[in-house]
Amino acid sequence: MPNKHRAKSSCDSGTGIPCGTASNETPTALPTQLRNQSITWHDCRTGPDDELRTRLASADPRCGEFQVPLNYADPTGPAITIAVARRAATDTAHRLGTLLVQTGGPGRPGMG
């Protein structure tokens, strides 16, 4: 059975109000479907011909997706899907916390 994890931004503190809102603006809350998401973790391979993710599988990651507004100034507008991967610490006795790496960039995919 896939693991589930609640997606929650540390800066919205569960309010659904986007981060980075100017102090003179009235923030717009995120729609419920974006605020109350669960990430379903699954195998990262998309199929038998997925060579890149098959090589990645040797590191035993789990992949998932969640949605965010395309434009946080209009949080009720179109949303995009963000793909994420996680890998459990191999030495839990010396685990320090979470490491987040963003491999993509504007106009360039992180994987593929």
Side-chain angles (χ1 to χ4, degrees):
M1 176 171 209
N3 295 327
K4 289 201 173 222
H5 178 74
R6 301 293 273 172
K8 182 176 178 179
S9 167
S10 61
C11 56
D12 77 3
S13 302
T15 64
I17 297 172
C19 303
T21 304
S23 60
N24 61 346
E25 294 179 20
T26 302
T28 303
L30 288 172
T32 302
Q33 70 270 20
L34 296 181
R35 192 173 51 241
N36 296 328
Q37 297 180 72
S38 293
I39 297 175
T40 300
W41 298 102
H42 55 81
D43 187 86
C44 295
R45 292 171 282 204
T46 59
D49 297 329
D50 188 349
E51 293 178 29
L52 175 65
R53 290 177 186 88
T54 296
R55 288 193 315 256
L56 179 66
S58 66
D60 196 29
R62 304 300 291 164
C63 290
E65 299 80 22
F66 64 98
Q67 291 193 319
V68 298
L70 179 62
N71 180 354
Y72 274 89
D74 181 17
T76 59
I80 59 172
T81 300
I82 304 291
V84 292
R86 69 178 183 178
R87 184 173 169 250
T90 56
D91 182 357
T92 56
H94 295 99
R95 179 181 178 273
L96 297 177
T98 301
L99 172 65
L100 176 64
V101 178
Q102 195 277 332
T103 60
R108 303 282 321 235
M111 294 190 64

